[in-house]
Amino acid sequence: MTPCPVRHLLEDLIRRRSVTPADAGCQQQIAERLAPLGFVLEPMRFGEVDNLWAVRRGAAPGPTLVFAGHTDVVPAGPRQWWHADPFEPTEREGALYGRGASDMKASIAGIVVAIEEFVAARPGHAGSIAILLTSDEEGPAVDGTTRVVETLRARGESFDYCIVGEPTSVKVLGDMVKNGRRGSLSGRLTVRGVQGHVAYPHLARNPIHVFAPALAALAAERWDEGNDYFPPTTWQVSNFNAGTGATNVIPGEAVVDFNFRFSTASTVEGLKARVQAILEAHGVEHSLAWTVSGLPFLTPRGALSEALATSIRAEMGVETELSTTGGTSDGRFIASICREVIEFGPPNATIHKSNENIDIAWLQPMKNIYRRTLEALLP
C-alpha cells in the first residue's frame, strides 16, 4: 500500500504535545517543508506564542491565497478517558485517534501536502500562496493571529482569499463550510444591594430580587431578526453568583456573566446601549464591564466559495452548505485585511472530546480539495 503523506505528517504533528500556548516544534516542522518550495519564512513570537507567516510569490502577478490554522490543541484531559495515549496517534476501525486529529492538525497536514503537490506541478504559477499559523487559537487568542494581522496591516498588506482549516464539516467531508461567524460580546454585571439578615429584609436590599425583573426582560428581548446569512442575535447568562454561603444572610451584591453572539444585523454599541436602557428602566443599581472577543464577519458568495464548492463536489460528490453557525475562529481577525474568508475542514463531531479522531479515508480527498482550490484560484 502506498504511504499517505498527509497521514504521515498528521501523525508527526499529533505526537507533538502542543497544548496552548505551546507549539512543540510543529511550526518548525512545517517551515522545513515549505522552505525548499521557495517560501519566505517569517516566525513571529509574541509573549509565549509562536506564529509563522510564510509566503511564496508566483512568477506573475495575481491574487494571494492564504491558508490559516493553529498548531495548538486543548488539553487532553484524564488519560483513562482515552483508548490510548492521546499524543500517540492510534488507528482504530478506520479512524486515526489523537488530540488535534480533527482540530486542526489534519487540515494543516492536508494544506501542506496540497501546496507541495501544487508547486511541483505548477512552479511558475501566478499570484502568491501564504500560510499563517499560530499556537494561540485555543487559548486567549491575544498574541496569535490577531498580532500577526496587526503586523501585516502596518505594512499595508492585504489579501484576496483565505481558507481557515477549522473542522466545519458535519456528517460528510465538505457538507458544510463557514462563510462567516457571529461576533462575541461579553459582560460582567455587578448588581449592588445591601447585605442584611433574612429576618429583617426591610433593613436590606436583595440584589437578586432587584435584578430579577430586568433578567426576565433581557432574556425575553428580541435583539434583531438576523439576516440572509445569520440567525438572530442571542443573549445568554453563563454565571450568576451571589451570597455568602449562609442561609440567613441577604447578599450585598450579585455578579452576572452574560454573552451575546451577534450577527451583522447588530452592533456592539447598539447592544450595549439596549442593555443599559433595560437595567435603568428597572432601577438596577449596577456597574458593568464589557469585553469584545470578536466582531462578526461575512463573506458573501464569490470566487473563493465557488472554487471551494466546485472542488468539494469533484472530490466528494456533495453540495456544500454555506453556514455562519458555531463559535468564533481566527477568521474574525483575518477578515479585516482579506476580501474573502472561508473556513473548511473535516467533520467536527469529536473535537475537544476524549478520543478525538478523524476518518482516515477523508485525509486524501481533503488534501485534494485544498489543491483543486489552489488550481482554480492561482492559474
Side-chain angles (χ1 to χ4, degrees), residues 275-320:
V275 169
Q276 191 66 36
I278 290 172
L279 294 173
E280 291 177 358
H282 289 84
V284 178
E285 186 179 347
H286 68 280
S287 61
L288 182 52
W290 295 96
T291 303
V292 180
S293 58
L295 297 174
F297 74 91
L298 176 67
T299 296
R301 291 186 182 275
L304 179 56
S305 61
E306 290 305 314
L308 193 54
T310 299
S311 300
I312 291 169
R313 188 181 305 117
E315 282 296 321
M316 298 299 297
V318 301
E319 296 297 325
T320 194

Side-chain angles (χ1 to χ4, degrees), residues 10 101-102 104-112 165-167 344-346 366 370:
L10 172 56
S102 54
M104 56 171 287
K105 292 181 174 180
S107 298
I108 292 174
I111 288 166
V112 170
E166 289 289 346
F344 161 68
M366 183 171 62
Y370 291 132

